[in-house]
Amino acid sequence: AQSVTQLDSHVSVSEGTPVLLRCNYSSSYSPSLFWYVQHPNKGLQLLLKYTSAATLVKGINGFEAEFKKSETSFHLTKPSAHMSDAAEYFCVVTSPGDKLTFGTGTQLKVEL
Amino acid sequence: EAGVAQSPRYKIIEKRQSVAFWCNPISGHATLYWYQQILGQGPKLLIQFQNNGVVDDSQLPKDRFSAERLKGVDSTLKIQPAKLEDSAVYLCASSLNTGGGGTEAFFGQGTRLTVV
């Protein structure tokens, strides 16, 4: 069994300040983890993925995430938020067989 | 590379009517998923195909939902009869599925269904 908990349903930051979106996971297997972003009326786009290689993963648009097994966490960060980062972000865990389990999402708001 | 294609983009039907959605995955992708995303929630897996076989349909409401994957390529998802609570975005995704997990999925833009 596997599950994902996104700890914040809404996060609001000012443009130019750091972003932190929190994700904890539970998995019976060695997990693979993803972050996807969904802009309004757009499809889901992969930001980055962890698949048991380096624990610090860099993705597109300046995002990165760190896999911490001891804390069962995979938090998403970005040093400086941009207005275009406003969107919904989903943390996803997979297992062998590639079943994807989504978190409930975090809505990121970026203010001037 | 062409992405995952879905149609229609939008559909409005009355309750108790039937509706069908179509998905064309990325060429060569063995795994195809259908997800239901209700407003304000994360996507929920309805069914997962591996080629033309079903891997997981444990959350598919089989009394009203059905899905098939023709020749291991295109797929259709049908709802008959629709209920108000079926209003959602239906997302199709595909992946190469290398068998060991960790294969990213590529998503279509979804079909937004409104049941009135």
Side-chain angles (χ1 to χ4, degrees):
Chain A
Q2 56 190 30
S3 66
V4 171
T5 302
Q6 292 187 242
L7 298 162
D8 306 291
S9 59
H10 294 82
V11 169
S12 184
V13 300
S14 299
E15 192 175 33
T17 64
V19 175
L20 170 63
L21 306 182
R22 298 181 295 165
C23 171
N24 286 108
Y25 70 90
S26 172
S27 177
S28 303
Y29 309 94
S30 294
S32 294
L33 294 153
F34 303 86
W35 276 97
Y36 281 85
V37 61
Q38 187 175 38
H39 288 92
N41 299 314
K42 296 279 183 70
L44 286 153
Q45 180 186 18
L46 181 70
L47 272 181
L48 51 79
K49 65 179 180 180
Y50 165 77
T51 56
S52 75
T55 56
L56 182 62
V57 181
K58 293 187 184 298
I60 61 171
N61 300 332
F63 284 94
E64 62 182 40
E66 186 171 9
F67 174 74
K68 292 187 177 180
K69 186 175 180 179
S70 61
E71 298 176 12
T72 60
S73 69
F74 190 58
H75 300 335
L76 182 70
T77 61
K78 183 173 181 178
S80 176
H82 190 271
M83 294 297 289
S84 61
D85 295 328
E88 185 139 30
Y89 292 78
F90 292 97
C91 184
V92 179
V93 63
T94 75
S95 61
D98 288 319
K99 177 177 179 178
L100 307 177
T101 301
F102 280 75
T104 51
T106 298
Q107 188 72 41
L108 176 64
K109 182 178 179 181
V110 182
E111 299 171 320
L112 286 171
Chain B
E1 176 183 82
V4 176
Q6 288 187 250
S7 67
R9 286 293 312 278
Y10 304 93
K11 190 75 177 179
I12 301 174
I13 61 171
E14 294 182 350
K15 60 184 178 185
R16 291 188 287 275
Q17 285 187 323
S18 63
V19 64
F21 312 127
W22 174 82
C23 174
N24 180 234
I26 292 172
S27 178
H29 280 194
T31 301
L32 186 146
Y33 310 84
W34 282 103
Y35 281 84
Q36 180 193 58
Q37 186 177 18
I38 292 171
L39 187 65
Q41 299 181 18
K44 182 185 85 171
L45 179 68
L46 291 175
I47 189 166
Q48 178 181 346
F49 291 97
Q50 176 74 13
N51 296 308
N52 59 356
V54 175
V55 174
D56 185 344
D57 63 356
S58 57
Q59 296 194 86
L60 186 74
K62 298 180 185 65
D63 57 333
R64 297 184 302 105
F65 286 64
S66 65
E68 61 179 1
R69 188 174 184 194
L70 305 172
K71 299 180 182 178
V73 183
D74 292 5
S75 178
T76 55
L77 176 69
K78 297 179 182 177
I79 307 174
Q80 183 178 12
K83 293 185 175 181
L84 295 176
E85 59 260 36
D86 298 332
S87 295
V89 176
Y90 291 84
L91 297 166
C92 180
S94 69
S95 74
L96 273 173
N97 189 346
T98 56
T103 309
E104 67 201 73
F106 295 83
F107 285 81
Q109 290 202 292
T111 297
R112 183 177 297 277
L113 173 68
T114 303
V115 183
V116 297

